[in-house]
Amino acid sequence: MLDSPGLTVAPGAYDGIGARLIAQAGFRAVYMTGAGTAMARGFPDFGLLTQTEMADNAGVMARSVDLPVIADADTGYGNELNTARTVREYEARGVAAIHIEDQVAPKRCGHLQGKEVVARAEFVSKIRAAVEARRSAEFLIIARTDARAMLGLDEAIARANAALDVGADIAFVEAPQTVEEVERIPREVHGACLLNIVGGGRTPVFDTAVAESMSYKLAIVPGLLVSAAIEAGDAALAALRATRRVPAVAASVGATFQRFGADDWDAMRRRFDAGASAIDTTVPALGTQGEGR
């Protein structure tokens, strides 16, 4: 994808449901959001999850779809040795790419205030360790720098280029603050660039066509399904509480399961005569939209 023309857009998900929705919507890649992964476990994006929790969730998403999964790997969860292990854990779970950042641990969301970063040399050393630890060159290392907020865009670009020089595949300059800064990054970074598009964040570009025109190769939209789930959930719960009626749904239970591989599992069931019969989506379902009342 990086070698082909144009921009790859990877919407963000935090579980297998979201990963499946992204694949079925026709996108070419999935992004595992670290913030969403933390929130799905009841925490803010303050670096509270462990490497195992993050890698395990990435593995669930990678096995759920036939698309490349790009995953947040925070700071690598320690020094160069920890970073090397992090690479191997994510790679073993079938993930296609991870990004490792230069924040001081515990990190926080890149669009919050109060971030701190390690020295450039330490960041570059961890990226080099990550590159050397991977088993396959097809497992991509994305070097993320949060230095813009504290040290300015010049330093952020310098760190991105230094990371590319030691073998990173993609540069990720987090949270540029003006359209001019967003344009400047792919001009001055000598490699493929990722743009993080966050609703309510600090980066003022929300059109992926604009990002493509600026020569970005990859755009992640981490909060898309998190925000949609929260807003839809709030609305559904408010409606149930106000009306005391369970709203009709768009599809039957059986049709919903089909979106998650039920037909393949039913084919296996029939092949081995393993238990109950397959689902039958032709059976009328109660509580679906359009049902007569």
Side-chain angles (χ1 to χ4, degrees), residues 129-143:
V131 170
E132 293 184 9
R134 61 186 172 184
R135 309 288 188 184
S136 167
E138 291 190 2
F139 180 82
L140 302 187
I141 305 299
I142 302 169

Side-chain angles (χ1 to χ4, degrees), residues 274-287:
S277 60
I279 61 173
D280 184 354
T281 58
T282 65
V283 175
L286 300 177

Side-chain angles (χ1 to χ4, degrees), residues 14 31-39 41 45 47-61 71-75 77 86 89-90 93 95 98-99 101 107:
Y14 51 88
Y31 175 66
M32 187 197 87
T33 160
T37 299
M39 286 188 278
R41 284 149 185 78
D45 187 17
L48 298 171
L49 267 58
T50 65
Q51 179 228 70
T52 303
E53 289 174 298
M54 293 285 284
D56 283 349
N57 193 49
V60 167
M61 292 174 58
D72 189 345
D74 294 320
T75 63
Y77 309 102
T86 294
E89 294 292 340
Y90 277 81
R93 286 164 171 80
V95 175
I98 60 172
H99 62 73
E101 67 201 57
K107 55 78 53 84

Side-chain angles (χ1 to χ4, degrees), residues 75-84 122 126 129:
T75 63
Y77 309 102
N79 62 17
E80 289 86 346
L81 276 65
N82 303 105
T83 300
E122 180 180 344
K126 287 169 72 171

Side-chain angles (χ1 to χ4, degrees), residues 26-180:
F27 289 92
R28 299 194 299 163
V30 174
Y31 175 66
M32 187 197 87
T33 160
T37 299
M39 286 188 278
R41 284 149 185 78
F43 297 109
D45 187 17
F46 285 0
L48 298 171
L49 267 58
T50 65
Q51 179 228 70
T52 303
E53 289 174 298
M54 293 285 284
D56 283 349
N57 193 49
V60 167
M61 292 174 58
R63 76 173 184 228
S64 299
V65 293
D66 292 326
L67 299 179
V69 172
I70 304 152
D72 189 345
D74 294 320
T75 63
Y77 309 102
N79 62 17
E80 289 86 346
L81 276 65
N82 303 105
T83 300
R85 186 194 166 200
T86 294
V87 167
R88 292 173 181 171
E89 294 292 340
Y90 277 81
E91 187 175 11
R93 286 164 171 80
V95 175
I98 60 172
H99 62 73
I100 297 171
E101 67 201 57
D102 57 358
Q103 281 198 54
V104 171
K107 55 78 53 84
R108 59 175 59 200
C109 170
H111 290 257
L112 292 177
Q113 294 180 330
K115 298 185 295 182
E116 297 179 59
V117 293
V118 300
R120 188 197 301 183
E122 180 180 344
F123 171 54
V124 173
S125 181
K126 287 169 72 171
I127 295 299
R128 186 162 62 89
V131 170
E132 293 184 9
R134 61 186 172 184
R135 309 288 188 184
S136 167
E138 291 190 2
F139 180 82
L140 302 187
I141 305 299
I142 302 169
R144 166 178 157 173
T145 175
D146 286 67
R148 163 63 187 90
M150 295 71 63
L151 305 175
L153 189 61
D154 287 346
E155 174 62 17
I157 290 173
R159 288 182 179 222
N161 281 325
L164 291 169
D165 287 342
V166 296
D169 301 285
I170 304 172
F172 174 3
V173 176
E174 175 66 306
Q177 297 181 13
T178 66
V179 172
E180 292 72 25

